[in-house]
Amino acid sequence: MRPYQIISDSSCDIPADLLPKLNIGIVPYYATFDTINYHKELLDLTPEEFYDKVKEAKVFPKTSLPPIQDYIDVFEPYLKEGKDIVCMCLTAKFSGSFQSANNAKQILLETYPDSRIEVVDTISVTGTQGMLVYEACRMRDAGYDLDRLLETLEVQKQTTKINFTVDSLDFLQHGGRVGKAAAFAGAILNIKPIIVMKEGELFPESKVRGHKKALKTIFDMTVKEIGDQKDKYTLCVIRAEKERQAVAEDLIAQLKAEGFYVMDTPWPVGITIGTHCGPTAVGICYIKQYENRDLTI
């Protein structure tokens, strides 16, 4: 079996301290606050620095997808080592990252015709994309060959979902996800949206009044959706700005008390997704595990 390297764009939002353990390659997105200077996610700008800058500058940042050359630069060293490539990209419904990776693939195959480069549309974002990458690494370490890995990922990616909420609708309104009137009413009436991410798209689920009720709602939704199959799923709690850490940790404690298998620490909402949802996002992500639950990283 030829060895293969797992790679993801930086929108997977896997915590920085976990990346070396997973042994994955990362292709960063870019963020800008002035449309002139661009910063590579993780390399030039951490999520914490990003949210601090958002609040300090009081601007709506923008992101830019990795260009083809960035994918080539990350892929090629592994190809030179004789490894095949599995690149797992942010949902193609949100970004052109998937297409950039495919373009890089076609260019590189001219030089490395005996190699395999597989580009996967994860139909996921942030924590669910990250957990799909995490599962891929577990399968790799369990000895899955490339074909079996890809087959299993195609099934798994249909099982992912995020239930999340935000305190402020400003960023969603700026990005065209909600109207100005709704954002204004939300601010006046303390309305918090409940939003879900599944099958590669965002959907407004409901709206409630107050932050505590919003958190309880996403918790109750998760319990209802997978409670009777909790032994088959892995969960993680995501949060944007560091000020949401305590709330996220409390959600983890509640989920563990209900018997769910949850990542021990909250995962960050990185700049790729944070640009669109803002600094106040908190959510619960889940994915159905592949067969071997005992293998951990």
Side-chain angles (χ1 to χ4, degrees), residues 278-289:
T280 63
V282 178
I284 302 172
C285 310
Y286 60 78
I287 185 173
K288 193 170 186 179
Q289 299 175 340

Side-chain angles (χ1 to χ4, degrees), residues 88-265:
M88 303 175 66
C89 295
L90 173 70
T91 173
K93 295 179 181 179
F94 276 20
S95 167
S97 170
F98 176 71
Q99 188 58 53
S100 282
N102 270 302
N103 290 340
K105 166 185 174 178
Q106 297 306 320
I107 293 169
L108 285 168
L109 287 178
E110 294 180 7
T111 306
Y112 304 92
D114 296 328
S115 297
R116 286 182 66 180
I117 303 174
E118 302 290 345
V119 182
V120 178
D121 177 2
T122 65
I123 64 170
S124 298
V125 302
T126 189
T128 49
Q129 181 184 347
M131 286 199 294
L132 194 65
V133 173
Y134 183 87
E135 286 289 289
C137 292
R138 292 177 67 239
M139 286 184 274
R140 173 203 63 201
D141 294 348
Y144 276 39
D145 65 25
L146 185 50
D147 288 324
R148 189 181 180 193
L149 175 85
L150 294 170
E151 180 182 348
T152 307
L153 288 176
E154 284 302 309
V155 175
Q156 278 190 299
K157 71 184 188 181
Q158 303 295 334
T159 71
T160 64
K161 190 184 178 196
I162 307 175
N163 299 322
F164 76 99
T165 187
V166 294
D167 264 4
S168 168
L169 293 169
D170 290 347
F171 281 76
L172 289 169
Q173 185 266 314
H174 183 77
R177 296 293 176 180
V178 299
K180 289 184 179 180
F184 179 75
I188 296 297
L189 300 174
N190 196 26
I191 298 298
K192 310 301 178 187
I194 306 300
I195 304 167
V196 302
M197 171 75 195
K198 59 183 179 180
E199 299 173 359
E201 294 193 76
L202 284 175
F203 299 94
E205 181 76 9
S206 62
K207 50 191 177 183
V208 298
R209 184 168 292 181
H211 183 61
K212 288 185 178 180
K213 190 170 183 180
L215 293 173
K216 184 178 186 306
T217 299
I218 63 173
F219 175 85
D220 290 344
M221 287 170 61
T222 304
V223 171
K224 181 178 179 181
E225 289 161 3
I226 62 169
D228 60 345
Q229 297 189 68
K230 62 181 68 173
D231 60 322
K232 297 179 180 179
Y233 282 81
T234 295
L235 286 70
C236 79
V237 174
I238 57 173
R239 57 88 177 161
E241 61 185 0
K242 58 182 177 289
E243 287 80 0
R244 308 284 153 173
Q245 180 76 6
V247 168
E249 289 176 346
D250 186 56
L251 275 176
I252 290 173
Q254 292 180 54
L255 289 165
K256 286 188 173 184
E258 289 289 327
F260 288 95
Y261 184 76
V262 193
M263 294 291 181
D264 288 333
T265 58

Side-chain angles (χ1 to χ4, degrees), residues 68-77 108:
I68 296 170
Q69 188 60 49
D70 283 12
Y71 280 102
I72 291 174
D73 291 343
V74 174
F75 289 180
E76 191 163 24
L108 285 168

